[in-house]
């Protein structure tokens, strides 16, 4: 697993308020602005993703059990690398919380929890936003 972060995703209860704050208030530009998620490029290969919390929990599981409403993503260049990185994390002591699977938006992702309980997404995203976070 390369030593880098591709996405930081925050689960937000009011996406419209977040959209108004970042786009209208701060004047930031969206990389992707969808019904459930707003993505903002915040570095050369880093995206801040603001995801409707209910939609986030539908994918990653309930976060009310002490897990913070955030995920950290590590994007990879191929679908096979998702499986490889998740296995490497598991062998290193992570708990796989969601096995890799095909996503409706065309990608392939899985999640693990690090020893502190933070959820990491390992993702292959063939779309434009996914490609802009790869080195």
């Amino acid at each position: 697993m390369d030593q880098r972060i591709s996405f930081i995703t925050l689960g937000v209860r009011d996406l419209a308020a977040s959209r108004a704050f970042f786009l209208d208030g701060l004047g930031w530009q969206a990389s992707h602005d969808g019904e459930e998620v707003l993505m903002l490029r915040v570095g050369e290969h880093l995206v801040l993703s603001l995801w409707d919390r209910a939609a986030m929990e539908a994918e990653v599981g309930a976060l009310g059990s002490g897990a913070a409403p955030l995920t950290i993503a590590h994007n990879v260049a191929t679908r096979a690398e998702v499986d490889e990185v998740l296995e490497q994390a598991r062998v290193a002591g992570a708990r796989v919380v969601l096995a890799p699977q095909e996503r409706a938006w065309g990608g392939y992702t899985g999640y693990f929890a690090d020893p502190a309980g933070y959820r990491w997404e390992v993702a292959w995203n063939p779309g434009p936003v996914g490609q802009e976070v790869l080195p």
Side-chain angles (χ1 to χ4, degrees), residues 123-135:
W124 170 66
N125 179 343
V129 174
Q131 296 305 300
E132 76 181 33
V133 297
L134 293 177

Side-chain angles (χ1 to χ4, degrees), residues 54-71:
M56 179 184 195
E57 288 183 340
E59 182 169 312
V60 243
L63 299 171
S65 62
L70 74 93
T71 61

Side-chain angles (χ1 to χ4, degrees), residues 51 59-60 71 86 96-98 103 109-112 120-121:
W51 196 1
E59 182 169 312
V60 243
T71 61
L86 279 168
V96 175
V97 295
L98 188 62
R103 298 294 175 190
T109 71
Y111 291 85
F112 68 84
W120 288 72
E121 177 186 32

Side-chain angles (χ1 to χ4, degrees), residues 15 44 48 67 69 72 80 135:
L15 185 58
E44 184 179 358
L48 174 63
I72 302 162

Side-chain angles (χ1 to χ4, degrees), residues 87-107:
E87 178 60 13
Q88 181 182 9
R90 187 195 65 74
V91 169
R95 179 175 54 89
V96 175
V97 295
L98 188 62
Q101 55 191 265
E102 302 292 335
R103 298 294 175 190
W105 46 266

Side-chain angles (χ1 to χ4, degrees), residues 62-87:
L63 299 171
S65 62
L70 74 93
T71 61
I72 302 162
H74 179 78
N75 279 45
V76 293
T78 68
R79 185 184 186 283
E81 287 177 273
V82 172
D83 297 325
E84 293 166 10
V85 171
L86 279 168
E87 178 60 13

